[in-house]
């Protein structure tokens, strides 16, 4: 009840650190009985202890993507998809290789697809501001991100398929059926507890939506599915994995990521906006007026601002691992013994806002934090991708295969904003999975 209603996530973990005087603590994590066989975990809540969760020699990652419970495989075509596989399982290597090859084969599509879809979004923002003095970014982003991903990954617009404009709604419904044990919809506690946090919602209620999404992927991802067969994956298993990676990981990520970045940059104020404008427009002018990878690489402040947003508001906040053997975990102050089979849990914002690493401004948005040589040294403590920002995803680890794409998309949003506007203002609130942002003005 503290976690969902009385304290909220941040305070739930911070208050226990204060209570026990330690950043490594034994606690229960939601959801409780009936859903999770065992809610007991050892929580690692500082920058030093947290990376044990990335070390696949020390921790097993099998069936731990959502933590102490696992959604029914009926939601994923009967398959355990890549996110639930340990790197030691042969299918993990094949699926991750498939995702790498998909991203590599479409690398030239990402920038033009993003610019096309998000310039349309900003045109809509402007017309809504004229009509009603405000514009809800989240609503527009939900529809735009879904279209962008289909276009960028497969070259097929979801809206031009049988899905029409229903894709984002079907996707959101399917996501909720997997994440409902961890969220609150803002309903009265007496309704939410039995409905969301006691037993799993029946997958049959979302099977029609899932079939419609699957049909789109099976038709749109023909080339990727051909590649999958070459890697030794069956076509249907590959398609369920592509659907999960695209809708849960990519789309679910962008639903949280882009409003989070926008909110932080809105809050940074006009002086910071002016610095971004100067950097972005100069780099694009040097590239002959084009937004290229080379131009983006020159935008050091833009990169830093996106990393800072990812540090403060990682799209996925929870990480888990099961100890493969008896081990010791070190925090800044002590060493803790964990027994083989013990469940380790990390609440990432506690680790990436660690004042022992980021100093007195650890909880604040400092847009230029990662600029320059000293700033770049701090990147090893940015963990949003289920690994250090200074490391790369591979078939042997559980780091996000789209790590570099996510940072690219975040930068592209900032670039699109400041090629178009000198400054903007927005109201920031709370949304189901993250931050809610409403534009109130653009200049």
């Amino acid at each position: 009840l503290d976690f969902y209603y009385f304290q909220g996530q941040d305070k739930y973990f911070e208050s226990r650190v204060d209570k026990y005087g330690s950043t490594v603590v034994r606690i229960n994590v939601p959801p409780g009985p009936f859903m999770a066989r065992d809610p007991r975990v050892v929580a690692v809540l500082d920058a030093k202890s947290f990376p044990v969760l990335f070390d696949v020699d020390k921790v097993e990652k099998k069936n731990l993507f959502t933590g102490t419970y696992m959604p029914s495989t009926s939601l994923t075509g009967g398959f355990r998809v890549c996110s639930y596989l340990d790197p030691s399982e042969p299918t993990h290597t094949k699926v991750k290789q498939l995702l790498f090859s998909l991203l590599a084969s479409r690398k030239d599509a990402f920038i033009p697809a993003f610019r096309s879809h998000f310039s349309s979004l900003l045109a809509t923002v402007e017309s809504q501001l004229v009509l009603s003095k405000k514009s809800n970014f989240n609503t527009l982003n939900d529809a735009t991100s879904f279209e962008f991903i289909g276009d960028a990954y497969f070259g097929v617009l979801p809206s031009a398929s049988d899905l029409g404009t229903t894709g984002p709604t079907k996707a959101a419904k399917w996501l909720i059926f997997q994440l409902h044990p961890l969220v609150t919809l803002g309903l009265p506690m007496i309704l939410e507890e039995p409905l969301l946090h006691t037993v799993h919602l029946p997958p049959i209620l979302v099977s029609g939506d899932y079939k419609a999404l699957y049909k789109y992927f099976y038709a749109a991802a023909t080339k990727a599915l051909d590649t999958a067969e070459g890697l030794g994956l069956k076509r249907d298993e590959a398609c369920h994995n592509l659907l999960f990676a695209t809708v849960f990981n990519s789309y679910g990520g962008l639903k949280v990521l882009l409003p989070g970045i926008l909110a932080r940059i809105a809050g940074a104020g006009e002086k910071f906006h002016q610095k971004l404008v100067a950097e972005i427009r100069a780099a694009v002018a040097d590239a002959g007026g084009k937004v290229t990878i080379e131009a983006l690489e020159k935008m050091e402040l833009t990169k830093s601002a996106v990393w800072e947003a990812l540090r403060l508001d990682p799209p996925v906040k929870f990480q888990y691992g099961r100890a493969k053997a008896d081990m010791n975990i070190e925090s800044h102050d002590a060493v803790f013994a964990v027994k083989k089979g013990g469940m380790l849990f990390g609440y990432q914002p506690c680790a990436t806002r660690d004042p022992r690493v980021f100093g007195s401004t650890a909880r604040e948005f400092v847009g230029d934090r990662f600029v320059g040589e000293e700033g770049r040294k701090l990147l090893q403590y940015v963990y949003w991708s289920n690994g250090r920002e200074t490391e790369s995803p591979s078939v042997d680890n559980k780091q996000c295969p789209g790590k570099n794409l996510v940072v690219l998309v975040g930068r592209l949003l900032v670039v699109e904003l400041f090629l178009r506007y000198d400054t903007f203002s927005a109201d920031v609130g709370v949304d189901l999975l993250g931050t809610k942002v409403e534009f109130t003005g653009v200049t």
Side-chain angles (χ1 to χ4, degrees):
L1 297 179
D2 279 347
F3 176 88
Y4 296 119
Y5 309 106
F6 304 144
Q7 291 181 309
Q9 292 176 9
D10 287 1
K11 194 87 185 93
Y12 179 78
F13 297 108
E14 288 162 5
S15 66
R16 273 122 185 109
V17 168
D18 293 342
K19 181 179 174 183
Y20 299 116
S22 171
T23 50
V24 178
V25 292
R26 290 187 189 279
I27 54 173
N28 294 316
V29 290
F34 303 121
M35 283 203 204
R37 262 206 329 268
D38 187 353
R40 295 173 299 175
V41 298
V42 173
V44 288
L45 304 171
D46 65 74
K48 189 169 183 185
S49 62
F50 195 89
V52 70
L53 293 163
F54 311 145
D55 188 339
V56 293
D57 292 329
K58 290 183 178 173
V59 299
E60 185 186 63
K61 292 288 198 170
K62 188 176 180 180
N63 297 344
L64 299 182
F65 179 60
T66 42
T68 56
Y69 75 98
M70 182 179 164
S72 167
T73 54
S74 302
L75 290 162
T76 49
F79 293 100
R80 288 169 58 240
V81 290
C82 189
S83 292
Y84 292 96
L85 301 176
D86 188 76
S88 62
E89 299 179 73
T91 307
H92 179 274
T93 299
K94 292 174 187 172
V95 176
K96 208 158 181 190
Q97 196 58 61
L98 170 64
L99 298 174
F100 287 141
S101 69
L102 171 66
L103 293 170
S105 70
R106 297 292 298 167
K107 66 181 190 300
D108 296 334
F110 291 118
I111 293 177
F114 185 91
R115 298 206 65 203
S116 151
H117 291 288
F118 279 82
S119 66
S120 298
L121 179 149
L122 292 174
T124 307
V125 166
E126 289 162 31
S127 55
Q128 288 183 352
L129 284 171
V130 170
L131 285 170
S132 57
K133 303 283 187 284
K134 57 185 181 181
S135 173
N136 185 321
F137 176 75
N138 294 59
T139 309
L140 296 175
N141 177 52
D142 284 356
T144 304
S145 286
F146 197 81
E147 282 287 279
F148 156 65
I149 288 171
D151 192 3
Y153 285 12
F154 311 113
V156 179
L157 292 172
S159 61
S161 74
D162 289 347
L163 281 174
T165 55
T166 66
T169 313
K170 286 178 163 59
K173 198 166 150 190
W174 176 70
L175 286 169
I176 282 294
F177 270 64
Q178 294 164 85
L179 292 172
H180 72 85
L182 296 174
V183 300
T184 169
L185 300 176
L187 302 169
M189 190 163 68
I190 199 159
L191 287 176
E192 278 202 344
E193 280 310 292
L195 188 66
L196 295 182
H197 305 147
T198 308
V199 291
H200 289 288
L201 294 173
I204 191 84
L205 298 179
V206 78
S207 65
D209 300 289
Y210 187 75
K211 279 177 188 150
L213 291 167
Y214 182 87
K215 187 181 169 192
Y216 162 74
F217 282 91
Y218 203 82
T222 313
K223 280 186 185 164
L225 294 175
D226 292 344
T227 305
E229 287 186 318
L231 290 165
L233 281 167
K234 289 203 171 109
R235 221 171 170 83
D236 62 339
E237 183 170 12
C239 192
H240 288 293
N241 269 286
L242 283 175
L243 193 164
F244 192 91
T246 307
V247 178
F248 194 114
N249 303 129
S250 304
Y251 177 59
L254 292 187
K255 275 171 79 76
V256 180
L257 170 77
L258 298 183
I261 291 173
L262 193 62
R264 290 293 178 180
I265 287 178
E270 193 170 345
K271 276 193 177 155
F272 185 64
H273 295 176
Q274 286 167 354
K275 289 178 184 171
L276 287 169
V277 163
E279 177 183 84
I280 289 165
R281 293 180 191 174
V284 172
D286 286 350
K290 292 192 172 78
V291 176
T292 62
I293 291 285
E294 293 73 29
L296 289 163
E297 280 304 310
K298 288 180 185 166
M299 301 175 193
E300 206 177 8
L301 183 62
T302 305
K303 281 196 276 191
S304 173
V306 170
W307 280 322
E308 179 71 338
L310 282 163
R311 176 186 77 83
L312 286 167
D313 308 304
V316 178
K317 294 181 178 180
F318 310 126
Q319 266 88 23
Y320 305 84
R322 200 172 284 287
K324 286 185 170 178
D326 291 359
M327 67 163 105
N328 292 330
I329 295 175
E330 287 186 42
S331 71
H332 295 295
D333 303 305
V335 180
F336 302 85
V338 173
K339 293 282 183 212
K340 179 182 179 178
M343 178 74 117
L344 301 175
F345 161 83
Y347 183 63
Q348 196 178 138
C350 284
T352 54
R353 299 173 192 171
D354 186 340
R356 301 279 279 269
V357 171
F358 293 104
S360 59
T361 60
R363 291 166 180 278
E364 297 165 25
F365 179 86
V366 178
D368 61 356
R369 191 183 298 275
F370 301 106
V371 169
E373 204 174 321
E374 285 306 304
R376 280 194 293 277
K377 284 179 187 169
L378 289 172
L379 279 175
Q380 63 178 308
Y381 300 107
V382 177
Y383 300 146
W384 70 270
S385 63
N386 202 17
R388 295 182 188 272
E389 190 60 25
T390 47
E391 293 170 358
S392 295
S394 77
V395 294
D396 301 319
N397 64 27
K398 289 301 287 180
Q399 193 165 20
C400 171
K403 168 183 174 258
N404 297 332
L405 174 66
V406 170
V407 177
L408 171 71
V409 167
R411 289 180 207 167
L412 286 171
L413 176 70
V414 181
V415 167
E416 210 53 45
L417 275 171
F418 292 112
L419 285 177
R420 197 169 181 118
Y421 309 125
D422 294 333
T423 187
F424 71 95
S425 57
D427 288 336
V428 175
V430 179
D431 192 45
L432 176 63
L433 296 171
T435 312
K436 179 183 172 189
V437 186
E438 238 176 17
F439 278 99
T440 52
V442 296
T443 306

